């Protein structure tokens, strides 16, 4: 009896409490609302407005995210992860690698990956290990798909992975506060024009050199 009694407290101490389901739902609602509002109004939107859209109190928001930087970190992480998932879904759904690339590009636009751009400045820690892991996971997945499309003769060979990522980012980047509130309705149209330009055989000679991942990472 003594040995059993002696081990019980240790087992209790090792047990880590799991977050309640309602707490997890609140956290997800906050991240979703923040993502929507960052797209609509930019990363400086008042956090109490984010809480209001999420349907939670300010105390709940700050209990999950003590400051704006923590919330932005979670939004960037979520968008990057979800974008990689969209790519994996496209690859699973399409046997033709160029069709998979096209499907992914349009799906990534719906994830609003371009909304990350205004948030990756200032004091944001873009080198956080979590973010680096997710970013590399996305980059490697895109690199693999681009390589397959080139090997199949479906994608022009004078481009790099960075060309795809830069164009996707620019064409899905929101323009808060501009006089064209309906500009998003042109996104998929312009993405398709971009994709048509990627398909082999190439119809023109591109100026400059291909944008590789190394070029993007170095900023040169």
């Amino acid at each position: 009896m003594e040995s059993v009694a002696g081990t019980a407290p240790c087992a209790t101490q090792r047990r880590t409490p799991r977050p309640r389901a309602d707490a997890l739902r609140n956290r997800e609602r906050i991240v979703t609302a923040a993502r929507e509002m960052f797209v609509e109004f930019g990363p400086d939107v008042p956090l109490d407005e984010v809480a209001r859209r999420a349907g939670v109190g300010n105390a709940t928001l700050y209990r999950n995210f003590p400051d704006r930087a923590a919330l932005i970190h979670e939004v960037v992480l979520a968008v990057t992860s979800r974008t990689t998932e969209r790519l994996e879904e496209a690859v699973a759904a399409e046997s033709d690698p160029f069709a998979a690339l096209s499907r992914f590009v349009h799906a990534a636009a719906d994830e609003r990956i371009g909304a990350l751009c205004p948030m990756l400045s200032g004091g944001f820690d873009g080198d956080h290990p979590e973010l680096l892991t997710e970013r590399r996971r996305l980059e490697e997945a895109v690199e693999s798909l681009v390589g397959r499309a080139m090997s199949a003769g479906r994608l022009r060979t004078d481009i790099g992975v960075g060309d795809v990522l830069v164009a996707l980012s620019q064409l899905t980047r929101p323009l808060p506060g501009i006089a064209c509130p309906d500009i998003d309705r042109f996104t998929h149209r312009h993405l398709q024009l971009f994709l048509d330009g990627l398909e082999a055989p190439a119809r023109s000679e591109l100026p400059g050199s291909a944008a590789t991942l190394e070029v993007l990472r170095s900023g040169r």
Side-chain angles (χ1 to χ4, degrees):
M1 292 294 293
E2 289 180 3
S3 61
V4 173
T7 58
C10 294
T12 302
Q13 290 170 6
R14 286 195 298 268
R15 190 178 299 120
T16 302
R18 299 178 62 183
R20 298 198 321 255
D22 58 340
L24 290 174
R25 281 194 298 270
N26 282 340
R27 185 179 179 86
E28 290 172 0
R29 284 158 60 184
I30 292 168
V31 172
T32 299
R35 173 173 160 266
E36 292 171 355
M37 298 196 78
F38 289 160
V39 167
E40 293 174 29
F41 306 108
D44 295 326
V45 64
L47 295 188
D48 58 344
E49 293 296 329
V50 173
R52 185 174 295 111
R53 179 171 294 196
V56 302
N58 286 354
T60 298
L61 186 149
Y62 285 107
R63 186 162 56 247
N64 283 277
F65 305 103
D67 53 32
R68 184 180 302 275
L71 180 55
I72 290 176
H73 169 94
E74 194 66 22
V75 169
V76 172
L77 192 65
V79 171
T80 306
S81 176
R82 282 164 57 102
T83 301
T84 306
E85 290 169 8
R86 299 294 84 80
L87 187 148
E88 293 168 348
E89 291 167 2
V91 169
E94 303 284 355
S95 58
D96 174 8
F98 189 83
L101 181 64
S102 299
R103 188 183 185 113
F104 158 67
V105 166
H106 284 289
D110 290 334
E111 292 298 331
R112 306 308 300 270
I113 191 170
L116 302 182
C117 297
M119 292 186 271
L120 303 179
S121 59
F124 182 79
D125 182 10
D127 293 326
H128 189 284
E130 275 186 317
L131 294 174
L132 287 177
T133 297
E134 282 301 329
R135 189 178 74 192
R136 285 171 181 156
R137 179 171 161 246
L138 173 59
E139 290 173 346
E140 289 169 3
V142 176
E143 188 171 40
S144 174
L145 182 54
V146 164
R148 285 179 52 213
M150 283 185 181
S151 296
R154 298 282 286 115
L155 182 69
R156 60 189 300 164
T157 57
D158 57 348
I159 64 112
V161 179
D163 290 305
V164 175
L165 295 175
V166 168
L168 181 57
S169 174
Q170 292 298 316
L171 289 172
T172 62
R173 185 170 181 171
L175 303 173
I178 64 170
C180 302
D182 296 327
I183 198 167
D184 289 346
R185 66 193 176 97
F186 298 110
T187 297
H188 289 284
R189 179 180 177 86
H190 294 164
L191 282 173
Q192 191 58 50
L193 288 170
F194 165 67
L195 287 164
D196 287 349
L198 289 183
E199 197 167 4
R203 297 166 179 81
S204 63
E205 184 175 344
L206 294 176
S209 56
T212 64
L213 289 178
E214 289 71 23
V215 168
L216 288 188
R217 288 168 182 162
S218 68
R220 290 182 286 126

